Amino acid sequence: MTDQLPNYPTLNPQAKLSKVEGVKDHSKFLAGPLATELADENPNFGHDSEVLLKFHGTYQQDDRDERGQVGEDGKKKKAYSFMVRTKIPGGKLTSAQLLAELDLCDELANTTLRITTRQGLQLHGVLKSNLKKSIARINEIQLSTLGACGDVNRNVMCCPAPIASNIYRETQALADKIADHFAPKTCAYHSVWLTDSSTGEKELVGGMDEKAGDGFDVEPIYGKHYMPRKFKMAIGFDFDNCVDLYANDLGLITITEGDKILGYNVIVGGGMGTSPSVKKTFPAVAKRLCYATPENVMQVIEAVFKVQRDYGNRDDRKQARLKYVIANWGIEKFKAKVEEYFGGSLPDPLPNDVYGFDDHMGWFEQGDGKWFYGLNVENGRIKDTADFQLKTALREVCRTLNPGIRLTAHQSILFTDIAPENKDKLEAILKKHSVKLSEEISEVRRWSMACVAWPTCGLSITESERALPGMIDQMEVELARLGLSSEKFTVRMTGCPNGCARPYNCDVGLVGRARNQYSVFVGGRLLGDRLNFMYKDYVPSEEVVSTLVPLFVYFKTERQPNETFGDFCHRKGQEDLAAWVGNFATVK
Ligand code: SRM
Ligand code: SF4
């Protein structure tokens, strides 16, 4: 790759940079006032620290259920706490690591652990006084929160299936390699969270800044301004797009022949976030860019990454993702710039595209005499309730069978390397704690996802994780009544339009629009390679299922052989669906 390129960042001197750029600039490589404020008595951090904390993998939040409560002094109070996100490339961890995270959620957080839509783990409800201990303990178990959030490369997703074959091993290894390569290199993380504050961390961070110049000696990829915005990458297969490649800034469609990886189709510019009030924002599925070989794929990724670093918008954070660079330039101009950074021309992608999707739930042979089991975790929330004790069950599974653990991009969990004689034991443990096996869960629930939203997410407009299970209960009844229970389609809900559960490329997307109101999207599909469209806006939560039922009826009546619900809605389009439903209501 050539070094003779315009120096980062290509900041327009006339542009008014976003405040966040200023915070990064003055932060001494993400240190800012974090160490000082961490040590003070306040329950929360100030503005600059709040921005910087994200790069360290934690978010300052307040309990939305409690918001507005008045304290003893008569003033409105916020109940501050922190979300702590562990970045886990390919969702791969050990039983010991999962056990340690479970202990953390009981000892220092709100007693639940959350599997995220990007194969990570989150603690919620960590008090500021416990933040340093939480992050330190995550590092003690060889995991990290660094770069789990913030304007950096986020958790690298990869198909988690533990199949004993080169193509799975190599893609997992590539995910690790990408994660390492694009991880921030600043010492600030270590000095804020992993050292005793009496050991002179300030000198370390300050010293770094003085000799840093534009920062490339400290952060060889990022420089001192890091990325304009978050950057997301995922690796999947053409036959299995379980990581939703098309929703990422950069996706690798791995093309294989038997046990061998031939190369990768590189797709770019996917992203879900949108602000309906800001016209120029939109969700996008990625576009096909080029073909990369196993030998040059890292250089191709780095070239794409650096083009976004240098040309991504740094004055308006709502337009700062890679998808906007591509929309403004067109894919041809974008490719030419990537080639310039790469230092040579790049071949077009091969015709291969995604054609399969497996959520890996249930029992599968690994190909090495062992088995793995995919357990569906509703909305990724690991907890004990009166009805089922998932947290206790996971502890017992990990302690007695010590399986490998993989987290899926559908917020679920795989137990790997199970000896055939232990299969019954695993099921018995789950049953003992009233945890439903994946086989006992309806199709519609199994393929559903909801983001966190209330009470922790500061951006949520309405409920998601706490609302979807009840709606799925109703959908189960309606689908059974229509004889459609075995249909496979994705229902994804988010508490706001940011799209954390990827609601814009699935069959049914329910997006929080106002308190207890949702936009209903239809027409995407499991493969995730197509955007859905809005069918109806501002639907009250109690009417969401009754809004969908006529569409299910229409689907049942007029579907083509083997057509899925998403494909049906896509074929008919919004106007036709609305007209038919209007008619249906009159006839009824
Ligand atoms: Fe997300 C912001 C949760 C995956 C798009 N997301 C947030 C924050 C941090 C809210 C905030 O900024 O204050 C949420 C914290 C809630 C909480 O209490 O935990 C949050 N996002 C999540 C998670 C936990 C949802 C989940 O239920 O699993 C996911 C964590 C993944 C991880 O381990 O890294 C999560 N977020 C996603 C995804 C899905 C994906 O990446 O595959 C998306 C859509 C893809 C994309 O990036 O476009 C996504 N989150 C956003 C956005 C919109 C970004 C944009 O470009 O417009 C925001 C808001 C922002 O960044 O300003 C956001
Ligand atoms: Fe929060 Fe919105 Fe993301 Fe849901 S989609 S977690 S409500 S930012």
Side-chain angles (χ1 to χ4, degrees):
M1 178 158 9
T2 174
D3 288 318
Q4 317 299 316
L5 288 162
N7 267 340
Y8 159 82
T10 316
L11 296 177
N12 173 359
Q14 313 305 326
K16 193 169 175 295
L17 297 183
S18 77
K19 273 194 187 152
V20 173
E21 290 301 322
V23 175
K24 289 187 266 185
D25 188 63
H26 298 125
S27 74
K28 299 184 179 175
F29 298 95
L30 311 180
L34 281 180
T36 316
E37 291 185 18
L38 189 60
D40 71 25
E41 298 285 298
N42 296 326
N44 61 315
F45 289 84
H47 172 267
D48 287 10
S49 292
E50 211 181 323
V51 169
L52 296 170
L53 280 171
K54 300 176 187 177
F55 293 76
H56 295 249
T58 177
Y59 262 72
Q60 179 164 299
Q61 302 182 318
D62 68 285
D63 188 331
R64 306 283 303 271
D65 287 338
E66 299 282 315
R67 205 179 265 186
Q69 302 264 352
V70 178
E72 279 170 12
D73 55 4
K75 288 186 181 155
K76 280 194 179 166
K77 293 250 178 277
K78 279 186 174 177
Y80 286 107
S81 69
F82 294 79
M83 173 270 270
V84 178
R85 187 181 288 168
T86 305
K87 189 165 135 179
I88 307 173
K92 189 169 50 170
L93 68 166
T94 63
S95 272
Q97 287 169 327
L98 181 60
L99 280 169
E101 289 264 1
L102 289 169
D103 287 348
L104 273 178
C105 89
D106 279 337
E107 290 169 36
L108 302 175
N110 71 355
T111 76
T112 74
L113 186 62
R114 185 75 160 43
I115 305 172
T116 74
T117 53
R118 289 193 71 79
Q119 302 178 289
L121 285 173
Q122 282 187 183
L123 300 168
H124 287 104
V126 177
L127 295 178
K128 186 174 164 227
S129 50
N130 284 329
L131 194 53
K132 184 163 179 166
K133 204 193 277 182
S134 305
I135 293 179
R137 278 180 53 182
I138 288 169
N139 280 270
E140 276 165 23
I141 54 168
Q142 273 75 55
L143 292 174
S144 179
T145 65
L146 175 61
C149 321
D151 298 342
V152 290
N153 179 41
R154 298 296 190 86
N155 197 34
V156 182
M157 293 209 282
C158 183
C159 173
I163 307 292
S165 147
N166 274 334
I167 60 171
Y168 288 91
R169 278 192 293 266
E170 282 177 26
T171 45
Q172 280 284 343
L174 181 60
D176 289 339
K177 193 171 171 184
I178 296 171
D180 278 353
H181 189 69
F182 293 96
K185 305 292 182 258
T186 175
C187 303
Y189 183 75
H190 189 267
S191 94
V192 173
W193 309 106
L194 309 178
T195 57
D196 190 316
S197 21
S198 59
T199 57
E201 83 242 18
K202 277 192 189 140
E203 254 173 57
L204 180 65
V205 175
M208 210 163 67
D209 187 48
E210 273 145 39
K211 64 178 166 65
D214 58 7
F216 285 105
D217 41 357
V218 178
E219 288 284 12
I221 299 203
Y222 291 105
K224 66 178 179 176
H225 297 97
Y226 294 84
M227 294 297 273
R229 212 46 168 98
K230 58 182 81 168
F231 193 92
K232 297 183 171 178
M233 300 198 232
I235 311 171
F237 297 103
D238 49 2
F239 60 84
D240 182 5
N241 182 23
C242 66
V243 291
D244 232 343
L245 290 165
Y246 276 86
N248 285 267
D249 293 279
L250 187 150
L252 297 178
I253 305 176
T254 310
I255 299 163
T256 58
E257 196 176 74
D259 202 14
K260 194 174 179 305
I261 293 179
L262 300 178
Y264 306 90
N265 275 348
V266 181
I267 58 174
V268 288
M272 296 279 108
T274 177
S275 309
S277 57
V278 183
K279 273 211 175 119
K280 287 182 191 157
T281 63
F282 49 81
V285 288
K287 292 189 159 55
R288 293 158 69 80
L289 180 74
C290 66
Y291 178 73
T293 63
E295 292 71 37
N296 71 15
V297 66
M298 284 301 288
Q299 284 93 322
V300 174
I301 294 172
E302 191 165 322
V304 172
F305 199 79
K306 287 183 171 172
V307 172
Q308 160 66 359
R309 179 196 66 189
D310 294 354
Y311 294 93
N313 188 326
R314 287 182 187 260
D315 53 321
D316 178 359
R317 289 182 64 77
K318 288 203 179 297
Q319 308 261 333
R321 295 290 292 274
L322 179 63
K323 63 186 173 185
Y324 298 109
V325 174
I326 295 172
N328 291 337
W329 286 0
I331 193 74
E332 291 308 321
K333 176 174 169 188
F334 180 75
K335 187 176 180 205
K337 187 56 83 180
V338 171
E339 288 175 330
E340 195 184 318
Y341 274 61
F342 175 75
S345 67
L346 290 165
D348 285 339
L350 298 187
N352 306 54
D353 207 342
V354 294
Y355 62 85
F357 187 108
D358 188 348
D359 64 349
H360 309 296
M361 294 295 99
W363 281 112
F364 296 90
E365 277 192 276
Q366 294 182 178
D368 57 359
K370 302 275 178 61
W371 289 72
F372 77 89
Y373 185 71
L375 179 71
N376 184 275
V377 178
E378 187 162 25
N379 301 326
R381 185 67 71 179
I382 300 174
K383 60 185 175 185
D384 281 358
T385 70
D387 297 333
F388 65 95
Q389 296 77 48
L390 178 59
K391 194 169 52 171
T392 306
L394 290 190
R395 281 200 163 105
E396 195 173 331
V397 167
C398 290
R399 285 193 187 123
T400 55
L401 303 175
N402 191 27
I405 303 291
R406 304 266 170 113
L407 308 175
T408 77
H410 252 227
Q411 304 170 312
S412 286
I413 192 164
L414 312 184
F415 304 107
T416 75
D417 304 314
I418 307 280
E421 62 275 19
N422 285 336
K423 285 174 65 186
D424 289 347
K425 283 188 200 153
L426 175 75
E427 289 198 11
I429 295 171
L430 296 172
K431 282 183 185 156
K432 185 168 88 184
H433 299 289
S434 309
V435 174
K436 278 196 180 158
L437 299 181
S438 299
E439 297 76 3
E440 296 169 306
I441 291 173
S442 67
E443 289 293 337
V444 65
R445 196 176 301 273
R446 167 175 171 174
W447 295 97
S448 71
M449 292 209 284
C451 74
V452 182
W454 285 64
T456 54
C457 178
L459 302 179
S460 58
I461 299 172
T462 190
E463 299 283 353
S464 181
E465 182 188 335
R466 299 195 298 197
L468 187 61
M471 291 187 195
I472 297 284
D473 290 347
Q474 296 172 44
M475 277 187 225
E476 282 175 345
V477 173
E478 297 295 345
L479 289 165
R481 194 170 58 83
L482 292 167
L484 294 172
S485 297
S486 60
E487 287 305 315
K488 203 192 273 186
F489 59 89
T490 42
V491 180
R492 297 177 179 173
M493 175 181 272
T494 57
C496 83
N498 280 316
C500 296
R502 301 187 289 268
Y504 304 116
N505 60 346
C506 61
D507 298 74
V508 178
L510 305 170
V511 176
R513 191 72 159 100
R515 199 73 203 270
N516 295 326
Q517 293 186 17
Y518 298 85
S519 313
V520 176
F521 291 81
V522 294
R525 58 176 171 175
L526 273 166
L527 283 180
D529 56 348
R530 169 176 87 204
L531 289 178
N532 48 24
F533 57 86
M534 195 195 288
Y535 168 65
K536 219 168 177 185
D537 211 2
Y538 291 104
V539 178
S541 45
E542 62 280 10
E543 290 174 21
V544 165
V545 177
S546 56
T547 299
L548 288 168
V549 168
L551 298 182
F552 295 148
V553 174
Y554 191 18
F555 167 60
K556 185 182 155 90
T557 326
E558 292 210 9
R559 72 188 295 190
Q560 291 174 349
N562 297 325
E563 194 172 34
T564 63
F565 181 63
D567 285 348
F568 171 80
C569 293
H570 177 72
R571 175 165 64 82
K572 292 289 183 185
Q574 200 278 338
E575 274 181 28
D576 177 277
L577 295 178
W580 191 88
V581 168
N583 238 351
F584 173 75
T586 326
V587 175
K588 229 172 57 160

